[in-house]
Amino acid sequence: MPDLSEGVAQFQRDVFPAKKELFARLADRHTPHTLFIGCSDARVVPELITGCEPGELFVIRTAGNLVPAYTPGADGVAASIEYAVAALGVREVVVCGHSACGAMTALAHGHDLSGAPAVADWLRLADASVARTATAADVPALVRQNVLAQLANLATHPSVARALAEGTVTLRGWVFDIATGRVEELRAMAPLAA
């Protein structure tokens, strides 16, 4: 297991000095252009996939890249979406699923989640995705349906609905293939450059 303190030391010694001016600007300014909603999976690194610098993406990571439909009340995902769209004024929102997603695999193959009740409850948010997938065990199809379902859920959030009506935000659905590095945009159904 890598020593995180060694990583911090390397950041402070090598990375930070090379980007000192960037961090100086970021200390007083937070203006990301994109809200990136991805899976918590450690293999999916939004800034690496998109080639973005610190400060360019506002990132939400949840198991299965799930976005609950809007309901009033305290909700960390909803609060983060609202802040990114209404306060920060992001211009794009990307929901990014990925190959070999553990959450979608668990659903597609009916894994026993009785030992992880919070995970089981959370994954029920993907019930609509499972229902829309022709073959329940088809993980890649479920990953795609899930991204589309989460885009629909995003549109139920008042800040997103308002921004969509005003034409100030664009929603995008992506699927990242871990093995090839390809990103498929679901709306256009054309791969983006890897």
Side-chain angles (χ1 to χ4, degrees):
M1 184 167 121
D3 182 347
L4 295 180
S5 60
E6 286 179 23
V8 171
Q10 181 184 4
F11 169 77
Q12 292 172 337
R13 181 183 62 245
D14 302 330
V15 177
F16 184 82
K19 296 183 180 286
K20 190 173 185 172
E21 289 179 22
L22 171 63
F23 283 105
R25 285 192 309 274
L26 292 175
D28 297 324
R29 197 177 111 173
H30 189 204
T31 56
H33 53 71
T34 301
L35 167 58
F36 189 102
I37 302 172
C39 187
S40 301
D41 192 303
R43 301 169 293 176
V44 181
V45 183
E47 292 81 3
L48 190 61
I49 294 167
T50 62
C52 285
E53 290 284 346
E56 293 182 313
L57 299 179
F58 191 86
V59 178
I60 300 171
R61 294 175 70 146
T62 68
N65 49 274
L66 296 174
V67 177
Y70 179 78
T71 56
D75 174 337
V77 175
S80 296
I81 291 167
E82 183 177 82
Y83 184 71
V85 174
L88 297 176
V90 296
R91 296 180 304 278
E92 291 193 310
V93 180
V94 173
V95 174
C96 184
H98 66 93
S99 62
C101 178
M104 295 303 109
T105 300
L107 291 172
H109 296 292
H111 291 173
D112 178 10
L113 297 174
S114 59
V119 173
D121 285 346
W122 178 255
L123 293 184
R124 285 190 188 98
L125 295 171
D127 285 350
S129 306
V130 173
R132 289 186 214 163
T133 305
T135 305
D138 185 349
V139 176
L142 180 54
V143 166
R144 285 168 178 74
Q145 284 301 321
N146 186 56
V147 169
L148 296 173
Q150 303 324 304
L151 289 170
N153 285 349
L154 262 172
T156 68
H157 290 254
S159 59
V160 175
R162 191 171 32 260
L164 285 169
E166 294 168 356
T168 58
V169 74
T170 301
L171 303 184
R172 298 186 182 283
W174 290 0
V175 175
F176 171 63
D177 185 273
I178 295 169
T180 65
R182 292 176 58 99
V183 174
E184 176 186 3
E185 183 154 9
L186 296 182
R187 295 263 187 237
M189 295 306 289
L192 300 173

